Amino acid sequence: MPDINGTTIIVALAVLVDFVIRVIAIIVVPRNRRPTSGMAWLLAIFFLPYIGILLFLLIGYRTLPRRRLAMQAEINQFIIDSTDGMELVRRDHVWPTWLESVVELNRNLGAMPLVGDNTARLLGDYEATFAAMVSDIDKARKYVNVEFYILALDPTTAPFFDSLKRAVDRGVTVRVLMDHIQSKRQVGYKETIRWLTEAGVEWELMLPLQPLKGKWQRPDLRNHRKLLIVDGTVGFMGSQNIIDRTYNAPRNIRRGLKWKDLMTRLEGPIVAGLNAIFITDWYSETNDLLTREIHPVRQQPLSQALDCQLVPSGPGFVRENNLRLFLALLYYAQERIIITSPYFVPDESIMYAITTATQRGLHVELFVSEIGDQALVHHAQRSYYEELLRAGVHVYLYKAPYVLHAKHFTIDDDVAVIGSSNMDMRSFSLNFEISLMVRGKSFVQEMRSVEDGYRADSRELTLEEWMRQPLRSTVLDNLARLTSAVQ
C-alpha cells in the first residue's frame, strides 16, 4: 500500500473542492439569471474556480439589503396612493394606438402616472446648462433638492455651488445626494464634502459602502440619477453630472476629451413626480420621508403642452423597468428609431428588438462616440457593430475628442425618451436610473434638431470599413463583450 503524505492529501482535497465548486455553480449560477450572464459567470468559475467563486459571492447578486427593498416597496405604494387620479392628460391630439399600453406598463413598473400640461426645454451646451440651473436656484424660496451621480467642486462647477450657498443664506433648505463610490473617486472629493458641510447644506451619500457603520450592499451598485428640483416647480434631469466636462482626470486632459451631454428643464405637474423620486432616495439613505414636499398637481392648461411619464428603475425594483420600457417602444415603432447611447452594450433582447426593427423596414440610427473613456466598455460596444451594420442600422461615430454622453432616443414623430440610462446591461440591472417618456410632436421635433447636430458632427461607419479591422481588435472586442455579461 503506497504511503499517503500531506501533499497528496492537499492535492486530493483541492481537486475535490474544485469539483464541488463546479457542480454547485452549475446549479446555483444560472438560476433567475440571463443565459448570457449565467454563461459568463460559469466560464469565470470554471477557468478560475477560486477567484471566480469569490467574485460571484461579492458581486454575483444584485439584491439590496432587505431593509432597502422594504423601503422601496413602501415608497412605491405611497407614490401609487398619493398620485391616484393624477392622469390629467388631454386627448385633444390623437395618440398612437399603442401608447396606452406603454403608459400602463410604466405605471405598473415604476408607480408613476402619465401627466399632462408640462413644458420641457432641451439643454445641450455644457456651461449654459450650469447657468440655467444657477438661475433657477437663485429664485428658490422653499427648497432645492440636488441628486447627482457625481458632484465635484471645481472651477467649472463653482458657480453652481455658490448658488447653493446663497440659497442656504436666504433660509432655503438645500439637500444634496451623491453616489458614494463614484463621487469619492473624483479629484477634490474631501474638499467638496467640507464645502457642503461648511455651507450648511444637508448632504448624504447614496449607496454608501461603510461596513463599520453598518452600511453595506453589493459594492458595484450605483445610483446613476441626475436630478435638480427647485421648489417643486422647476426640475432638471438628463445625463450631465456636476463636474467639469473633462471630469478633471489627467488622462482625459492629456487626450483632450470633453463630454457632450443633454439635459431637459421641466415645468408642470411632472416636477412633482421628479421630486417624488428624490424623496424616495432621500428616504432610503436617511429614513426621513419628506411627505411635506408632496405637492398637489397644478391644473394649469398650457398651449402645446407635453404629456410626460417618469420611469424610475434599479435593483430596488423587482423588474428591469427601463429595459421593458425601451423594448416596448422599439417594438411599437412604425417608421424610425434614433438612439443615442454613450455605452451601448445591450443584452440579447435589445439587439433582437433593434435588428427586428430594420427587418420590419424601419429606419434605425445609433449615435455613439468615436472614442471611449472606458477601454473595456468601449471595446465591448465595438463588438456589436458588425451585427448592427449587417442588419441595416446606420451607426454614426461622434467625432473625437468629444465623448457623446447624452442618453435618449426617439420613436417615429410621437415619443421621445431622455434620462440617465444607457442602453447597457449595467444600466438595466445594477444602476438606479431615471427615464422620462415624453409624448408631444414639439418635443420630438426639438430632439430631431439635436440629432441633426450630432449627425453633422459625426461620420457614418460602413460595414466595408469595419471589416478592415485587424484581428487583434476583433479578439479584444469579443473578450470585452464576454466580461460585460458578468452581472
Side-chain angles (χ1 to χ4, degrees):
M1 183 175 180
D3 292 335
I4 300 177
N5 56 34
T7 302
T8 303
I9 294 174
I10 291 173
V11 171
L13 285 175
V15 171
L16 179 62
V17 170
D18 180 89
F19 177 76
V20 171
I21 287 175
R22 294 169 190 262
V23 172
I24 294 176
I26 292 173
I27 298 171
V28 174
V29 170
R31 186 178 181 186
N32 297 324
R33 193 181 299 274
R34 292 193 191 95
T36 51
S37 176
M39 182 59 68
W41 272 116
L42 287 174
L43 286 173
I45 293 170
F46 272 56
F47 279 108
L48 300 167
Y50 298 105
I51 296 175
I53 197 65
L54 287 175
L55 286 174
F56 182 77
L57 292 174
L58 183 64
I59 62 172
Y61 292 96
R62 63 185 178 93
T63 55
L64 289 165
R66 290 183 180 180
R67 181 189 66 85
R68 290 187 69 108
L69 291 173
M71 294 174 80
Q72 182 71 61
E74 178 184 348
I75 200 71
N76 285 353
Q77 190 58 51
F78 173 79
I79 291 173
I80 290 174
D81 294 340
S82 61
T83 58
D84 185 39
M86 271 180 55
E87 290 85 346
L88 304 175
V89 180
R90 289 180 289 167
R91 303 299 182 109
D92 48 357
H93 295 286
V94 177
W95 281 20
T97 55
W98 46 262
L99 185 57
E100 193 82 55
S101 65
V102 178
V103 171
E104 182 67 17
L105 170 72
N106 294 339
R107 179 67 152 157
N108 291 333
L109 292 174
M112 305 298 292
L114 179 77
V115 292
D117 290 332
N118 304 287
T119 60
R121 178 164 60 94
L122 293 174
L123 301 167
D125 182 277
Y126 207 91
E127 287 74 20
T129 299
F130 280 131
M133 291 180 178
V134 168
S135 177
D136 283 314
I137 292 172
D138 281 339
K139 298 172 187 174
R141 293 294 176 263
K142 299 176 182 177
Y143 63 84
V144 177
N145 290 334
V146 179
E147 177 177 342
F148 281 83
Y149 179 52
I150 297 174
L151 190 103
L153 175 61
D154 59 41
T156 299
T157 63
F160 178 90
F161 280 82
D162 290 341
S163 69
L164 298 182
K165 180 63 167 64
R166 290 193 295 270
V168 172
D169 292 343
R170 295 195 306 272
V172 175
T173 299
V174 178
R175 305 182 189 90
V176 167
L177 288 170
M178 70 187 89
D179 184 77
H180 179 203
I181 297 301
Q182 200 60 32
S183 289
K184 191 173 183 177
R185 288 174 175 171
Q186 305 309 313
V187 175
Y189 168 74
K190 291 183 179 179
E191 290 77 6
T192 299
I193 296 301
R194 186 182 306 116
W195 190 98
L196 292 172
T197 302
E198 293 175 353
V201 173
E202 300 176 32
W203 62 270
E204 294 288 339
L205 301 172
M206 296 186 291
L207 297 172
L209 287 176
Q210 299 168 323
L212 297 179
K213 296 182 180 180
K215 297 179 179 179
W216 176 263
Q217 58 272 321
R218 176 172 166 167
D220 60 339
L221 300 183
R222 300 285 180 270
N223 194 316
H224 196 238
R225 294 167 180 163
K226 293 98 175 170
L227 310 174
L228 170 66
I229 304 98
V230 178
D231 289 345
T233 58
V234 175
F236 291 78
M237 65 170 293
S239 67
Q240 186 168 324
N241 287 295
I242 306 299
I243 192 169
D244 182 79
R245 66 189 310 178
T246 66
Y247 279 55
N248 300 315
R251 63 183 182 279
N252 295 341
I253 296 171
R254 284 195 303 269
R255 298 174 64 192
L257 300 186
K258 297 180 181 180
W259 265 240
K260 174 71 174 176
D261 281 285
L262 189 66
M263 297 286 281
T264 183
R265 181 185 182 275
L266 300 166
E267 290 187 81
I270 196 63
V271 178
L274 205 63
N275 200 43
I277 302 301
F278 177 89
I279 290 171
T280 299
D281 290 334
W282 186 263
Y283 178 52
S284 296
E285 304 301 349
T286 67
N287 287 315
D288 180 16
L289 183 56
L290 306 172
T291 54
R292 58 189 178 279
E293 290 184 7
I294 298 293
H295 306 292
V297 175
R298 296 180 301 141
Q299 299 188 42
Q300 182 180 352
L302 302 170
S303 61
Q304 296 185 334
L306 303 171
D307 299 330
C308 299
Q309 187 174 29
L310 289 163
V311 181
S313 58
F317 293 89
V318 177
R319 300 170 182 86
E320 295 165 320
N321 298 355
N322 48 354
L323 173 60
R324 292 174 186 269
L325 165 63
F326 295 173
L327 286 173
L329 292 176
L330 291 173
Y331 277 115
Y332 276 128
Q334 299 298 306
E335 297 174 4
R336 58 179 165 171
I337 299 167
I338 301 181
I339 300 168
T340 302
S341 182
Y343 310 114
F344 184 80
V345 187
D347 68 351
E348 289 182 354
S349 64
I350 287 288
M351 283 298 289
Y352 268 93
I354 291 174
T355 55
T356 298
T358 59
Q359 291 164 2
R360 290 192 289 127
L362 276 64
H363 179 83
V364 181
E365 297 181 14
L366 171 66
F367 287 96
V368 293
S369 294
E370 183 178 43
I371 56 175
D373 62 303
Q374 300 179 34
L376 194 63
V377 177
H378 185 63
H379 280 286
Q381 173 178 286
R382 285 162 47 94
S383 72
Y384 293 90
Y385 290 169
E386 181 179 346
E387 183 179 354
L388 291 168
L389 292 168
R390 289 191 183 281
V393 176
H394 298 267
V395 178
Y396 289 92
L397 305 180
Y398 199 80
K399 292 182 180 179
Y402 291 94
V403 175
L404 184 57
H405 192 244
K407 309 149 197 302
H408 52 83
F409 66 100
T410 50
I411 300 297
D412 301 336
D413 294 322
D414 301 299
V415 173
V417 174
I418 183 172
S420 65
S421 181
N422 302 306
M423 275 198 180
D424 69 347
M425 287 177 272
R426 164 165 283 280
S427 293
F428 298 149
S429 301
L430 303 179
N431 290 346
F432 286 84
E433 307 281 6
I434 181 70
S435 301
L436 177 72
M437 185 179 78
V438 181
R439 186 206 71 88
K441 291 186 182 298
S442 61
F443 187 81
V444 176
Q445 288 171 358
E446 190 177 359
M447 192 72 83
R448 290 277 182 257
S449 297
V450 171
E451 294 162 351
D452 289 342
Y454 294 164
R455 202 175 291 106
D457 291 329
S458 302
R459 65 180 182 86
E460 185 172 0
L461 180 66
T462 65
L463 180 61
E464 180 183 7
E465 174 191 347
W466 184 250
M467 296 309 294
R468 293 197 297 267
Q469 292 291 315
L471 178 61
R472 63 179 182 276
S473 295
T474 301
V475 172
L476 184 58
D477 294 345
N478 289 337
L479 286 174
R481 179 171 178 168
L482 181 62
T483 61
S484 70
V486 178
Q487 303 286 357

